[in-house]
Amino acid sequence: MRLVEPQPPSAPTSPARIDTLESLREHLQWAIELEHATLPPYLCALYSLDPERNPEAAAVVGSVFVEEMLHLALAANLLNAVGGRPRLDMPGMLPPHPRRLPHGDRHLELSLLPFGAEALEMFLRIERPAPPGAPAEGAGYETIGQFYAAIEQGLRHLCERLGEREVFRGDPARQVGAAHFRHTAGRLVVVDGLDSALAALEEIVEQGEGMAGGEVWDGDQEVFHPEREEVAHYYRFQELKTGRRYRRGDTPQSGPTGETISVDLAGVRPMRRDPRLADHAPGSAIRTAQEEFNHTYCAVLHLLEQAFNGSPKLLAVATGTMYALRAQARALMRMPDEDGTTAGPTFEYVAPELRRWSVGDRQRIAVLADGPYVVYGGVPLRRKRKIVSAENDALTWKTGETMETEETYALCRCGHSGSKPFCDGTHAVIGFDGTETAGTRPYAELQHVHDGVGVSAQRVGELCVHAAFCLGRTRPIAEMLADTGDSDVRSDVMGRIDHCPSGSYSYALQRGGEAIEPDLPRAVSILEEEEGLASALWVTGGVPVLRADGLPLETRNRVTLCRCGHSGNKPLCDGTHREIGFREETPDR
């Protein structure tokens, strides 16, 4: 994908195809759609490969996929830099396959195929370099390079006509950088002006079809083998087609003459071509698995859109969620299909209202399957530390400063993130099992009532996180209730219950009366107990929590969520963090 050379200022120029900021933003949104369109075909080929029997082919296809994700992020940075808003969570991103590249050559169709000769020919057609002297094409483009050449022309033209400052008016905080995406040897360029925009375009182009001058190399080192120089996407697929690697001195004309690459076609799962949900009856095992995959993939699109629209830290969460796709797709490809092939993912869009957790801008917490808690709506995040006596008796909670967050942020649920309390995608690497077992029955159906004088204590043992405010130095609440005729004792009981973070204990003035709750703000607090023990996430003020299956937990004034990853009552905390001595190592505390 080679960019066109700019015309010298004195030379006559033809009218730019992209000659308004609105048109530029439209074409950069098309670039996002274009980069995304390559992902499902590459993923199908990758997932169909047995990595033990085809390690080299899997490494090649995997490296191209990772770099297409980089290109997607670069396109989003470009659009944000010129004041646009990247969109990914929409039906148009997932039309039925076969499909064409967005706004591209109608003769090129993309299909969902297992790895093989036909898939390789499709990939070579996608990544085909623009021929020398090929014109820039903003729509109906024959090669991706010609499309990006049109964007470059438009950028130069608009900067010359309007001024660079007027063109690059976007919010710098919406840029994603290398700290957010570390899975590639390529450069994730932060775009803040024409020079950086051209550098971003060059990165996309060179990784696709090589460096200027007919080079097969893209200027980077291989992501999986840093000791090797990396060839561009088109030539990587040529290596798989011919069974040889490129080596120094090789050219596009000579082809690869280096060491051999072996491909074992018997080690490829024979996935059905362009599978669809409609191929199988509702409720069947294959269709159910395909629907689960589609929910996960649409969660990725949703997280990417959030990451590119003001919450860049979610990029790590989105890429981590992709690990779940791999397991789901490979499970599908082990299911025999009716035509003698195996089943495969369909990449069909799931409407947000069917996902529930991703709908609306209200404050809420969504539990991702085997992943983190995603907190929407700018819910304040702070730390709270338990104050204890010299004998380690629980006394009260001390509130720390509010932590800096994005409008939407993700909190670690597996207990292994390197940037606690925030998620960094580690859950996917370690194969975290976040299966939820907590029930959805309301508190009123589960509570056990213990009456005293002027106070009626209610308790749900399943919610207890063993913070120990109910125990006291000498007597637990259950024994103190008999003496609540003494107003000092009654006040002590009420105060201890107010400090119970999970709301396992609550109280009313009389049996069946309205529960009296402490006035707690809508917030999430990172709890720390005695001796630096890391405790639960304390959700207060009635912030709704939605399980990964879309079912809501009962909205209460106090809820405690597990963040050590070991609770037997996920997503709720059950105090296991105390048993395992869970701690949070945060250098900046």
Side-chain angles (χ1 to χ4, degrees), residues 256-324:
T257 63
E259 62 188 82
T260 60
I261 297 179
S262 62
V263 175
D264 179 4
L265 292 180
V268 177
R269 300 173 181 90
M271 187 193 89
R272 171 186 282 208
R273 181 192 189 96
D274 294 323
R276 296 192 184 181
L277 288 178
D279 295 338
H280 300 282
S284 64
I286 289 178
R287 180 156 175 166
T288 299
Q290 289 172 330
E291 289 171 339
E292 180 183 0
F293 179 94
N294 291 336
H295 273 271
T296 304
Y297 193 80
C298 288
V300 171
L301 292 181
H302 172 76
L303 291 167
L304 287 172
E305 182 167 297
Q306 295 288 320
F308 298 144
N309 283 280
S311 299
K313 289 181 180 177
L314 288 181
L315 186 56
V317 183
T319 52
T321 304
M322 286 185 171
Y323 280 82

Side-chain angles (χ1 to χ4, degrees), residues 53-185:
R53 298 174 67 174
N54 282 295
E56 293 173 304
V60 168
V61 180
S63 69
V64 172
F65 166 75
V66 167
E67 288 172 4
E68 293 298 343
M69 283 292 298
L70 173 69
H71 300 173
L72 179 67
L74 288 169
N77 275 357
L78 285 160
L79 180 53
N80 271 323
V82 299
R85 181 184 181 278
R87 296 187 62 212
L88 289 100
D89 190 359
M90 58 181 186
M93 295 298 278
L94 290 172
H97 287 84
R99 58 165 298 183
R100 65 185 180 94
L101 284 177
H103 310 282
D105 184 353
R106 293 183 177 274
H107 296 97
L108 171 59
E109 284 194 337
L110 307 184
S111 281
L112 303 178
L113 301 169
F115 181 85
E118 187 178 0
L120 279 177
E121 290 302 324
M122 178 176 64
F123 299 158
L124 287 166
R125 178 62 184 83
I126 292 171
E127 303 288 353
R128 185 180 66 178
E137 295 176 329
Y141 49 88
E142 294 182 62
T143 68
I144 295 174
Q146 291 167 273
F147 174 70
Y148 281 111
I151 289 177
E152 188 206 3
Q153 283 186 339
L155 280 167
R156 291 184 183 275
H157 171 76
L158 288 169
C159 285
E160 182 180 331
R161 182 163 67 85
L162 302 176
E164 192 171 343
R165 180 172 296 181
E166 180 64 18
V167 173
F168 293 96
R169 55 168 71 173
D171 181 359
R174 295 164 71 89
Q175 294 288 308
V176 296
H180 305 117
F181 188 72
R182 302 172 182 170
H183 305 277
T184 171

Side-chain angles (χ1 to χ4, degrees), residues 46 131 175 216 223 248 278 317 362 436 503 543 545:
L46 177 62
Q175 294 288 308
V216 300
V223 61
R248 270 296 164 193
V317 183
R362 71 192 189 283
E436 295 156 288
V543 177
V545 178

Side-chain angles (χ1 to χ4, degrees), residues 174-498:
R174 295 164 71 89
Q175 294 288 308
V176 296
H180 305 117
F181 188 72
R182 302 172 182 170
H183 305 277
T184 171
R187 296 174 297 154
L188 184 44
V189 180
V190 170
V191 179
D192 57 7
L194 182 59
D195 287 346
S196 53
L198 295 180
L201 290 172
E202 182 179 63
E203 187 69 19
I204 296 172
V205 166
E206 289 187 346
Q207 283 192 335
E209 63 179 48
M211 298 169 66
E215 290 273 356
V216 300
W217 318 98
D218 69 5
D220 296 325
Q221 304 302 116
E222 283 193 25
V223 61
F224 297 119
H225 299 281
E227 74 280 1
R228 300 176 184 166
E229 290 183 280
E230 189 171 62
V231 298
H233 295 180
Y234 179 81
Y235 301 103
R236 280 181 234 174
F237 291 129
Q238 285 284 16
E239 288 181 327
L240 291 180
K241 181 179 179 179
T242 61
R244 286 194 175 276
R245 289 192 179 277
Y246 281 92
R247 61 181 176 181
R248 270 296 164 193
D250 287 346
T251 66
Q253 292 72 34
S254 72
T257 63
E259 62 188 82
T260 60
I261 297 179
S262 62
V263 175
D264 179 4
L265 292 180
V268 177
R269 300 173 181 90
M271 187 193 89
R272 171 186 282 208
R273 181 192 189 96
D274 294 323
R276 296 192 184 181
L277 288 178
D279 295 338
H280 300 282
S284 64
I286 289 178
R287 180 156 175 166
T288 299
Q290 289 172 330
E291 289 171 339
E292 180 183 0
F293 179 94
N294 291 336
H295 273 271
T296 304
Y297 193 80
C298 288
V300 171
L301 292 181
H302 172 76
L303 291 167
L304 287 172
E305 182 167 297
Q306 295 288 320
F308 298 144
N309 283 280
S311 299
K313 289 181 180 177
L314 288 181
L315 186 56
V317 183
T319 52
T321 304
M322 286 185 171
Y323 280 82
L325 291 174
R326 178 175 61 186
Q328 291 171 354
R330 287 181 173 165
L332 269 168
M333 292 183 190
R334 288 192 290 268
M335 295 182 175
D337 215 330
E338 297 169 356
D339 60 358
T341 63
T342 63
T346 67
F347 290 94
E348 293 176 74
Y349 189 72
V350 180
E353 58 269 21
L354 298 178
R355 292 179 250 155
R356 302 180 67 176
W357 59 270
S358 65
V359 177
D361 57 2
R362 71 192 189 283
Q363 290 186 327
R364 66 195 187 281
I365 297 173
V367 184
L368 295 194
D370 299 328
Y373 305 104
V374 181
V375 185
Y376 293 86
V379 179
L381 180 68
R382 56 196 185 170
R383 291 190 181 274
K384 275 184 175 288
R385 180 167 58 89
K386 186 164 74 174
I387 304 299
V388 298
S389 69
E391 295 79 21
N392 270 345
D393 297 315
L395 300 176
T396 189
W397 296 102
K398 181 179 179 180
T399 303
E401 293 184 2
T402 299
M403 302 173 68
E404 183 178 349
T405 67
E406 298 163 345
E407 182 72 7
T408 303
Y409 56 94
L411 297 174
C412 174
R413 184 160 76 104
C414 71
H416 291 273
S417 170
S419 56
K420 298 184 195 72
F422 300 104
C423 171
D424 66 356
T426 300
H427 60 274
V429 178
I430 65 172
F432 170 61
D433 181 359
T435 302
E436 295 156 288
T437 55
T440 56
R441 289 175 61 195
Y443 186 96
E445 292 183 7
L446 297 171
Q447 67 186 8
H448 297 275
V449 181
H450 307 275
D451 292 330
V453 178
V455 63
S456 179
Q458 300 124 22
R459 183 172 184 268
V460 176
E462 294 90 335
L463 301 178
C464 182
V465 300
H466 305 288
F469 284 93
C470 62
L471 296 179
R473 183 172 64 85
T474 58
R475 290 191 300 169
I477 284 176
E479 293 181 10
M480 295 173 66
L481 286 170
D483 297 326
T484 48
D486 182 331
S487 60
D488 284 347
V489 175
R490 192 185 320 155
S491 175
D492 189 12
V493 167
M494 292 175 174
R496 292 195 198 179
I497 290 176
D498 282 345

